[in-house]
């Protein structure tokens, strides 16, 4: 199988998957429950999510391993099962993807902040290394280091992947619009800073996920593209900006609404497009059809 970056040279545009947490909650995941434990205890439910995204046309799917690092798993007293959970997550997505589609190992932040001095760089590096090695062993061929906000932590995750695995490295940050009408992470990082630092760290693909719908992603992608003209860009946008309805987040954008905005995102510089919170296989199918019109 060609690497994602190699495939982009011939296919030009690729389709990623959508939200996992959204679908897991629909299947009964409760607040406070460990999502990654479902890879063992409710494997058929996770396999169904993965298969539905492949059926919707996704060229690549993530794994149910976003929080499966030692620090996050400690909250559930599951740190000792880190390797088991990550291997299971990757094997489920690989089963759904088969040999022809890519599996991106989902790796989220640890929840620790190096700036606080409560944790060392070695501790952060080691837990990412352990997680990524298990995900590769389970069948992933790429990793999606996603939803980061701090350059130092993300650089350690990228370094862990580069030094310990053969995984292709994708890295995405989550940006918010400021009162100054620009975009920053909660740690104050701009899209341009992220693009330069993560490519220097060794990321093969950079981008943005969560926090924004496609309309807000367009200026973020433009800034990423200006800072890194030759690096592929991936976007996982939410299904619009959610509103709170009776205590529940409701995402307003239907598959057709999101699909109608895809050309603008491609024109801004996106090479791979999928979805984040609120998106479903139906959204991904519609996005895929819109991408084909952009070729």
């Amino acid at each position: 199988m060609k690497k994602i970056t190699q495939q982009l040279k011939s296919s030009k545009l690729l389709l990623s998957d959508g939200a996992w947490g959204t679908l897991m909650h629909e299947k009964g995941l409760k607040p406070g429950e460990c999502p990654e434990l479902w890879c063992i205890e409710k494997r058929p439910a996770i396999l169904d999510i993965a298969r539905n995204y492949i059926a919707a046309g996704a060229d690549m799917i993530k794994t149910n391993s976003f929080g499966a690092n030692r620090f996050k798993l400690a909250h559930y007293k599951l740190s000792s099962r880190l390797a088991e959970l990550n291997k299971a997550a990757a094997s489920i997505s690989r089963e759904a993807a088969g040999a022809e589609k890519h599996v991106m190992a989902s790796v989220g932040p640890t929840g620790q902040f190096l700036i606080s001095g409560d944790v060392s760089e070695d501790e952060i590096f080691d837990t990412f290394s352990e997680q990524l090695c298990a995900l590769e062993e389970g069948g992933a061929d790429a990793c999606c280091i996603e939803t980061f906000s701090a350059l130092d932590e993300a650089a350690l995750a990228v370094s862990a992947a580069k030094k310990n695995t053969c995984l292709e490295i994708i890295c995405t940050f989550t940006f918010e619009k400021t009162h100054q009408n620009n975009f920053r992470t909660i740690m104050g990082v701009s899209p341009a800073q992220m693009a330069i630092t993560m490519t220097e760290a060794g990321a093969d693909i950079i981008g943005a996920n969560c926090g924004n719908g496609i309309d807000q992603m367009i200026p973020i992608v433009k800034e990423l593209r200006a800072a890194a003209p030759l690096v592929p860009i991936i976007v996982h946008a939410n299904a619009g900006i959610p509103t709170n309805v009776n205590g529940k987040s409701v995402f307003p954008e239907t598959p057709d609404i999101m699909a109608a905005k895809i050309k603008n995102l491609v024109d801004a510089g996106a090479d791979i497009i999928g979805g984040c919170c609120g998106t479903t296989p139906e959204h991904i199918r519609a996005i895929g059809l819109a991408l084909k019109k952009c070729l």
Side-chain angles (χ1 to χ4, degrees), residues 103-127:
V103 172
M104 305 177 289
S106 175
V107 176
T110 61
Q112 306 296 309
F113 294 95
L114 286 160
I115 195 172
S116 71
D118 294 332
V119 64
S120 70
E121 288 190 358
D122 286 346
E123 288 174 305
I124 296 290
F125 179 85
D126 287 347
T127 193

Side-chain angles (χ1 to χ4, degrees), residues 43-55:
R43 181 185 174 97
I46 301 303
L47 181 59
D48 184 60
I49 292 172
R51 282 176 168 165
N52 283 338
Y53 280 126
I54 291 296

Side-chain angles (χ1 to χ4, degrees), residues 72-272:
K72 289 283 184 71
L73 291 176
H75 295 303
Y76 306 103
K77 299 181 180 179
L78 291 171
S79 293
S80 64
R81 300 181 69 179
L82 183 151
E84 175 194 9
L85 292 171
N86 281 287
K87 287 178 188 177
S91 70
I92 291 170
S93 290
R94 176 52 66 201
E95 181 178 340
E100 301 300 321
K101 300 297 180 76
H102 296 282
V103 172
M104 305 177 289
S106 175
V107 176
T110 61
Q112 306 296 309
F113 294 95
L114 286 160
I115 195 172
S116 71
D118 294 332
V119 64
S120 70
E121 288 190 358
D122 286 346
E123 288 174 305
I124 296 290
F125 179 85
D126 287 347
T127 193
F128 282 138
S129 297
E130 188 177 9
Q131 183 182 10
L132 285 156
C133 286
L135 286 161
E136 184 178 42
E137 187 175 345
D141 61 279
C143 61
C144 188
I145 295 165
E146 59 176 332
T147 326
F148 276 71
S149 61
L151 292 172
D152 50 8
E153 185 186 24
L156 286 169
V158 171
S159 178
K162 195 171 183 65
K163 291 180 179 179
N164 294 285
T165 75
C166 295
L167 298 172
E168 200 164 12
I169 304 169
I170 300 166
C171 184
T172 65
F173 274 42
T174 298
F175 301 95
E176 298 177 358
K177 196 169 187 178
T178 71
H179 294 301
Q180 288 73 41
N181 205 35
N182 52 28
F183 289 87
R184 297 290 186 272
T185 72
I186 59 171
M187 299 298 289
V189 178
S190 71
Q193 288 174 311
M194 178 271 186
I196 294 168
T197 303
M198 291 304 103
T199 52
E200 288 178 349
D204 301 296
I205 299 166
I206 58 172
N209 79 293
C210 205
N212 297 282
I214 289 178
D215 290 331
Q216 295 76 31
M217 286 294 190
I218 291 170
I220 293 171
V221 170
K222 287 181 178 178
E223 188 172 344
L224 290 170
R225 177 54 68 219
L230 302 179
V231 181
I233 292 175
I234 187 170
V235 177
H236 289 143
N238 288 351
I241 304 299
T243 56
N244 188 293
V245 179
N246 298 321
K248 181 180 179 181
S249 292
V250 176
F251 291 86
E253 297 197 351
T254 65
D256 287 343
I257 290 174
M258 287 192 76
K261 302 176 181 183
I262 293 302
K263 186 178 185 304
N264 292 335
L265 197 55
V266 170
D267 290 344
D271 302 287
I272 306 168

